[in-house]
Amino acid sequence: MSDEINHDRRSFFGTAAMTLAASQFAFSGTAEAQPSKTKPVVMRHAKPGANTSFASLKQIDAGLLDVGYAEAGPADGPAVILLHGWPYDIYSFVDVAPLLASAGYRVIVPYLRGYGTTRFLSNATARNGQPSALAVDIIALMDALKIEKATLAGYDWGARTANIMAAQWPERCKAMVSVSGYLIGSQQAGKMPLPPKGELQWWYQFYFATERGREGYDKYRREFAKLIWQIASPQWHFDDATFERSATAFDNPDHVAIVVHNYRWRLGLAEGEAKYDDLEKRLAQSPVITVPTITMEGDANGAPHPEPAAYARMFSGRYSHRTIKGGIGHNLPQEAPDAFAEAIIAVATDA
């Protein structure tokens, strides 16, 4: 089932509370529809950009990392982990987090490796950006925070990380919201040539494959990120303050190494670590995701992304897709926080 939601008309509600009734946000399975178990939840309305900071920023040792993360909501609430993409950071969720917290969720928003205040605990650790490593990081974070099971939600790198976790550790994933759907890939798939128009969309991947690209990204981190924001969300009129809040995350000393390795690994131009080989082999089989899922897409996403029909069969549990209308681009949580938070509440309460 596919739903289209017009983001523009949400502004009609102003700051009034909204009740998310079960009948409005229940979603159907790919096989047989099941009765909805969603309970009504009252959630505040969020004007994009209304919040400029998080209530609480913390650090915790988890696996290979000292992870920086924001936390909101009651400590005993059901856990939701929000995962950002590139070149973005935790501020993609600055309006989403308080919405979920007000609905009773414990919200965790970590900086991925190579971003913000997240640091490697050892200088000897490989600065590895392969997707499986990022997923293992979040499992380690859940262990450190004593979170047995969480609803995962993300976009871009964050959606891919959530996909991998849901596919390989479904017992740790209650439900998932994934922008642009199914993003699990492999080096073998990354080596397959695309038609010229498709390759053009991935220009930065080829740029990062060169030493000139690595040096250029290091020198022009902010300029590069701002260009990607503009291309990926052509109708999002973010201001300088909004951009700068996120841009500080790219000052992380490992940022360039992680980003460049990620894209070089995808093309088979950089090796991964042997300890992730078995996981990568399983992921290369394109595992079907069984946990309850809502996929989302903005109607003005300028970044490379698959069409919803191309990945619907990759979800065998309760599943639906939502297209968010109103000029919403790649950074869907920050551009349409209400819609993103509503999807999380729907999938989490119906799981």
Side-chain angles (χ1 to χ4, degrees):
M1 181 175 69
S2 179
D3 300 323
E4 289 192 351
I5 299 174
N6 192 317
H7 174 70
D8 288 340
R9 60 185 172 88
R10 297 199 181 279
S11 61
F12 170 78
F13 292 99
T15 58
M18 295 186 299
T19 300
L20 308 184
S23 60
Q24 184 177 3
F25 293 107
F27 59 103
S28 64
T30 54
E32 182 177 355
Q34 303 176 28
S36 172
K37 296 179 291 182
T38 306
K39 297 178 181 179
V41 177
V42 175
M43 189 183 77
R44 297 184 322 226
H45 172 77
K47 179 181 178 181
N51 296 287
T52 60
S53 64
F54 289 95
S56 177
L57 294 173
K58 301 179 179 181
Q59 296 286 141
I60 191 170
D61 287 357
L64 302 173
L65 304 169
D66 174 19
V67 179
Y69 66 101
E71 182 167 3
D76 60 349
V80 174
I81 299 177
L82 305 177
L83 300 170
H84 69 81
W86 170 85
Y88 306 90
D89 81 326
I90 64 174
Y91 283 90
S92 290
F93 305 106
V94 72
D95 292 317
V96 173
L99 293 176
L100 296 175
S102 71
Y105 293 90
R106 180 189 182 189
V107 186
I108 305 295
V109 194
Y111 283 111
L112 301 183
R113 57 167 61 189
Y115 295 79
T117 59
T118 292
R119 297 289 188 275
F120 286 91
L121 294 172
S122 171
N123 290 331
T125 302
R127 272 39 178 177
N128 180 354
Q130 71 185 105
S132 58
L134 274 70
V136 171
D137 288 345
I138 305 304
I139 293 292
L141 176 63
M142 291 177 66
D143 290 343
L145 292 172
K146 296 180 171 54
I147 296 173
E148 183 61 31
K149 201 167 190 176
T151 296
L152 307 173
Y155 69 101
D156 197 83
W157 286 24
R160 182 174 294 107
T161 301
N163 287 182
I164 293 171
M165 293 172 65
Q168 296 302 310
W169 298 280
E171 71 280 3
R172 306 298 299 272
C173 180
K174 178 180 179 181
M176 180 174 64
V177 171
S178 179
V179 176
S180 297
Y182 188 91
L183 297 176
I184 295 175
S186 67
Q187 282 188 320
Q188 192 61 36
K191 293 177 182 178
M192 298 296 292
L194 301 173
K197 188 175 181 179
E199 298 284 21
L200 179 63
Q201 289 188 299
W202 289 102
W203 64 272
Y204 51 86
Q205 184 170 243
F206 300 108
Y207 183 67
F208 290 149
T210 69
E211 185 59 19
R212 176 190 178 100
R214 188 199 66 77
E215 292 180 0
Y217 187 55
D218 193 11
K219 183 177 181 179
Y220 298 109
R221 298 184 198 196
R222 279 166 166 73
E223 293 88 346
F224 202 103
K226 183 173 285 189
L227 176 61
I228 295 294
W229 283 31
Q230 292 165 342
I231 293 172
S233 298
Q235 298 183 45
W236 181 33
H237 304 297
F238 58 88
D239 58 25
D240 290 342
T242 297
F243 175 76
E244 192 55 34
R245 273 191 292 275
S246 290
T248 58
F250 315 142
D251 295 332
N252 183 296
D254 301 306
H255 179 72
V256 173
I258 295 297
V259 171
V260 170
H261 183 267
N262 178 283
Y263 287 104
R264 289 183 180 180
W265 181 89
R266 294 193 205 185
L267 295 176
L269 301 177
E271 295 294 325
E273 293 180 84
K275 63 182 177 179
Y276 300 115
D277 284 353
D278 287 344
L279 178 53
E280 293 294 355
K281 288 178 183 177
R282 295 196 297 272
L283 295 173
Q285 300 303 310
S286 299
V288 172
I289 293 174
T290 61
V291 305
T293 298
I294 291 176
T295 58
M296 306 185 77
E297 192 62 79
D299 65 342
N301 185 1
H305 63 277
E307 290 300 316
Y311 53 71
R313 62 184 176 82
M314 303 309 297
F315 301 94
S316 65
R318 292 176 64 85
Y319 171 76
S320 71
H321 176 80
R322 297 180 177 185
T323 298
I324 311 304
K325 306 188 83 173
I328 303 304
H330 190 58
N331 186 2
L332 192 151
Q334 197 162 2
E335 297 175 60
D338 280 354
F340 194 75
E342 288 166 4
I344 292 170
I345 291 172
V347 77
T349 55
D350 214 48

